[in-house]
Amino acid sequence: MHPIETNRSLDERSLSDIISANLHSPRLRSLETVKSSESLEGLISPSIRSSVGTPRDRHNFEPHPMIGDAWDALRRSLVFFRNKPVGTIAAMDPTEDSLNYNQVFVRDFVPSALAFLMNGEPEIVKNFLLKTLRLQAIEKRIDCFTLGEGVMPASFKVLHDPLRKTDTMIADFGESAIGRVAPVDSGFWWIILLRAYVKSTGDHSLADMPDCQRGMRLILTLCLSDGFDTFPTLLCADGCCMIDRRMGIYGYPIEIQSLFFMALRSAKSLLKPEGEGKEFLERIDKRLQALSYHIREYFWLDHTQLNNIYRYKTEEYSHTAVNKFNVIPDSIPHWIFDFLPMNGGYFIGNVSPARMDFRWFAIGNCMAILSSLATPDQASAIMDLFEERWEELVGDMPLKVSYPALEGHEWEIVTGCDPKNTRWSYHNAGSWPVILWMLTAACIKTGRPQIARRAIEQVEQRLSKDGWPEYYDGKAGRYIGKQARKFQTWSIAGYLVAKMMLEDPSHLGLIGLEEDKKMKPALTRSASWTA
C-alpha cells in the first residue's frame, strides 16, 4: 500500500496549532479541561461562551451584521410546550403554505441545538432531548404494521388549545412523510446531540438517567440486531435521511454509515457498563472495528483506486477475489474520470453487490471526518478535493449536497420523474447552506480553516439578503431554489454555528471525535480491494 497523496494548502495549520494559538487569548485561558492540544475530548468547557456577536458578548470585535439578524430569526423560530422551549420550527416563510415546515424536525434542530449550546443556553437542548425520548416510547404504527420500539420521530408539532389552556405534542415517525419512510438518521442525531450536551455542560446526569440509557439501547438494538447481513453497514430504504425523497440512495448510503459510526462512538462514551450496558459496549466495539474497516477499504475512491476498478476482472469466485462485489468496470460513469483529481479523494455514495454509486455526498464525507471514520490521510484528501473542485462542490453558494446531478433518462428512472428533484435542484445536486457548519467543523479538524473562511465569506454575500433560503438551484448554486422556503431555520443556525466554531475552535469538541488508535487495522491509504 502507498500513502494517499495530498496537496496541503500553504497557509494550512494543524488543529493543535489553532488551539495552541487561541489558548493565548485571555478569553480561552479558562479551558481547564485541556490537558493536550491533540485531544478533542478536552476542547470544550462548560464555562466558555462564544464571542461571535451573540447576545452574550459583542465586545471583542465588530461582528458581521448578519449575526444579529441570525440570532433574532433563530429565537423567533422557538417552539414552546407548556411554556418551555423544546425546539425550533423548520421554517418561518410567511409567503408559503406551512405544510410540515411548522414542525420541529430532529435532524433540523441539531444546528440550532449546537448554536444554543455554544452560546451557553443548554436548557432548550435538554428539553428537546427529554421530549423526543418520551415520543420514542409511543407505539408507532403505519397501516397495520408496528415500527421498532427504538425508532425516533422524524418530527413533532405542538398544538396549543387556548380555550382549555393545554398543549399537545404530536409526532411523525414516517407515517405522514412523503414516501412513508421512517427516519433512520433521527436516532443517530439524538445520540450525537446527547453527547454534545454532556460535553458542553459537563453534566452527565441527563445521559445517566435510566430513561436515556434505555433510549440509547433501544436505538442500538435496531442497528446491532443479528440478521442476514454480510456487511457491517446498515441496509436502508431510499429517502431515509436528509435526502428524504427517492434519489437512488437505497442500500448502504454513506450519510447513514457515517452517522451510524459517530452514534456508536458517542454511545460508547455515554452508556454505563452496569447491567445490559456491558453487552452493548462489547457489541459496539466489534461493530466499530468492522464498520471502520469496511468503509475505509471499500467506499474510498482516489485516483489509484479508480484505476484499479477500471482494470477489474469480473465473475471471480472464492475468498481470494479482488473484485469482491463483482462491480462491472463498464458501469463506471464517464464524468468521474475528469472529476477526480490526481490529489484528493472521497467516500463514494454507496457500495453493494454489482453496484457502486460514485456520486459525492457532502454530509457523509464531512461526518466521516468529524467522527474519525476517515483516517487522517483520507480526511486530508477530502479537503484536497474541496480545494481542487471548488467550483463543482461549492460554487457561488456552499454547499452541494450531492454531485453531480442526475439528468435525462437516468433522472426519470432513479427519481421517478420527481418534479422537485430536477437537475441541480433540491437533493439532486442542489446547494444547501446548512451544510456550512459541517464543512467548517471538518476544516478546523483537518487544519484547513482557510477553506471554511472562504465558504463563509461567500455565504455572507447573499444568504441574509436572500431571506435565508432552504437551498439554491443551478450548477453553481446561483439561484434561490424554485420551491425553497425562506427563513429556513437550519440555514440560519448553520451559519451561526460555522461562525462560532471558526472564531472559537474549542467548540469543535462538541461535535468532533479524535481518532481511536485502538481500532485496527489502521489503513494508510484505504484504496485497495486486494486480499
Side-chain angles (χ1 to χ4, degrees), residues 218-394:
L218 288 175
I219 294 169
L220 295 172
T221 296
L222 293 174
C223 310
L224 300 176
S225 299
D226 294 331
F228 293 99
D229 301 302
T230 54
F231 314 131
T233 41
L234 281 182
L235 180 62
C236 303
D238 221 338
C240 64
C241 51
M242 187 267 198
I243 297 178
D244 59 2
R245 301 168 73 92
R246 183 174 160 189
M247 271 293 295
I249 66 166
Y250 62 89
Y252 306 91
I254 186 61
E255 177 177 337
I256 289 296
Q257 313 314 322
S258 294
L259 290 174
F260 180 33
F261 185 84
M262 190 164 204
L264 288 176
R265 293 199 64 194
S266 298
K268 183 180 176 180
S269 69
L270 298 171
L271 281 173
K272 299 169 72 174
E274 295 83 11
E276 297 179 73
K278 182 179 180 181
E279 179 190 350
F280 275 93
L281 288 170
E282 292 173 353
R283 292 165 69 185
I284 286 172
D285 277 333
K286 290 180 180 179
R287 192 60 164 262
L288 283 172
Q289 291 268 10
L291 185 61
S292 61
Y293 179 85
H294 187 90
I295 298 295
R296 293 170 181 176
E297 184 79 356
Y298 302 131
F299 278 66
W300 181 252
L301 187 73
D302 58 12
H303 179 266
T304 302
Q305 176 62 359
L306 179 60
N307 207 158
N308 291 341
I309 299 170
Y310 178 70
R311 292 167 51 82
Y312 271 162
K313 294 179 173 63
T314 60
E315 307 302 326
E316 294 179 297
Y317 183 81
S318 86
H319 65 277
T320 60
V322 174
N323 184 2
K324 295 183 180 180
F325 295 91
N326 198 36
V327 174
I328 312 301
D330 287 345
S331 69
I332 301 174
H334 295 297
W335 62 266
I336 190 64
F337 294 101
D338 294 326
F339 172 74
L340 196 62
M342 294 295 293
N343 296 306
Y346 66 102
F347 292 109
I348 63 175
N350 221 311
V351 176
S352 58
R355 179 187 178 223
M356 295 182 75
D357 183 350
F358 288 89
R359 284 178 294 173
W360 150 272
F361 289 91
I363 295 177
N365 277 272
C366 287
M367 295 307 294
I369 292 175
L370 294 178
S371 64
S372 289
L373 174 57
T375 66
D377 281 349
Q378 288 172 337
S380 184
I382 293 170
M383 288 294 112
D384 287 344
L385 184 68
F386 272 117
E387 293 190 309
E388 293 279 349
R389 295 293 179 259
W390 187 267
E391 294 303 317
E392 291 86 350
L393 301 181
V394 182

Side-chain angles (χ1 to χ4, degrees), residues 17 33 46 51 68 130 149 195 197 203 253 259 267 277 289 296 316 325 341 343 362 434 463 475 488 511 522 530:
D17 293 335
T33 58
S51 65
L130 289 174
E149 194 177 1
R195 177 192 171 274
Y197 173 86
D203 176 17
L259 290 174
Q289 291 268 10
R296 293 170 181 176
E316 294 179 297
F325 295 91
N343 296 306
V434 63
L463 190 60
K475 205 166 187 177
Q488 184 81 13
I511 200 69
T530 55

Side-chain angles (χ1 to χ4, degrees), residues 1-277:
M1 290 186 179
H2 305 286
I4 297 173
E5 294 184 9
T6 59
N7 181 24
R8 303 176 74 84
S9 303
L10 292 177
D11 61 340
E12 171 187 335
R13 293 182 296 166
S14 69
L15 177 61
S16 58
D17 293 335
I18 297 167
I19 301 301
S20 297
N22 280 335
L23 286 176
H24 296 295
S25 168
R27 185 176 52 78
L28 287 182
R29 286 174 186 162
S30 60
L31 273 170
E32 298 175 357
T33 58
V34 175
K35 304 299 182 185
S36 165
S37 60
E38 299 287 327
S39 174
L40 285 177
E41 293 301 310
L43 288 185
I44 196 71
S45 165
S47 63
I48 293 178
R49 300 292 180 264
S50 175
S51 65
V52 188
T54 69
R56 290 181 176 271
D57 189 345
R58 294 177 181 267
H59 307 297
N60 285 13
F61 64 94
E62 188 65 29
H64 194 281
M66 277 177 61
I67 294 172
D69 293 341
W71 274 109
D72 291 341
L74 182 59
R75 296 194 186 283
R76 286 196 301 271
S77 73
L78 288 172
V79 173
F80 291 82
F81 180 78
R82 297 174 184 171
N83 298 320
K84 291 185 178 180
V86 293
T88 51
I89 61 172
M92 300 172 292
D93 191 338
T95 65
E96 296 284 348
D97 185 12
S98 64
L99 294 177
N100 61 347
Y101 282 82
N102 62 353
Q103 299 186 25
V104 179
F105 281 81
V106 172
R107 75 175 68 94
D108 291 39
F109 180 66
V110 171
S112 296
L114 293 175
F116 286 118
L117 288 175
M118 291 176 186
N119 197 44
E121 301 177 65
E123 194 63 27
I124 183 176
V125 182
K126 181 177 181 179
N127 295 339
F128 170 85
L129 290 167
L130 289 174
K131 292 304 178 186
T132 46
L133 186 64
R134 294 287 295 273
L135 294 173
Q136 183 196 40
I138 297 174
E139 184 182 27
K140 301 165 275 284
R141 295 179 64 87
I142 297 181
D143 294 331
C144 300
F145 183 71
T146 302
L147 275 69
E149 194 177 1
V151 174
M152 280 287 184
S155 63
F156 65 85
K157 60 183 176 182
V158 177
L159 299 180
H160 302 282
D161 187 335
L163 296 178
R164 298 181 179 180
K165 296 182 179 180
T166 60
D167 289 348
T168 305
M169 192 173 284
I170 300 175
D172 177 15
F173 293 91
E175 69 269 28
S176 300
I178 296 172
R180 303 298 188 266
V181 178
V184 176
D185 62 338
S186 286
F188 299 153
W189 280 122
W190 188 89
I191 295 175
I192 293 166
L193 189 55
L194 178 61
R195 177 192 171 274
Y197 173 86
V198 171
K199 294 296 296 181
S200 175
T201 63
D203 176 17
H204 289 261
S205 62
L206 179 64
D208 289 344
M209 288 173 53
D211 286 348
C212 282
Q213 291 287 310
R214 181 175 182 272
M216 282 189 283
R217 291 197 302 268
L218 288 175
I219 294 169
L220 295 172
T221 296
L222 293 174
C223 310
L224 300 176
S225 299
D226 294 331
F228 293 99
D229 301 302
T230 54
F231 314 131
T233 41
L234 281 182
L235 180 62
C236 303
D238 221 338
C240 64
C241 51
M242 187 267 198
I243 297 178
D244 59 2
R245 301 168 73 92
R246 183 174 160 189
M247 271 293 295
I249 66 166
Y250 62 89
Y252 306 91
I254 186 61
E255 177 177 337
I256 289 296
Q257 313 314 322
S258 294
L259 290 174
F260 180 33
F261 185 84
M262 190 164 204
L264 288 176
R265 293 199 64 194
S266 298
K268 183 180 176 180
S269 69
L270 298 171
L271 281 173
K272 299 169 72 174
E274 295 83 11
E276 297 179 73

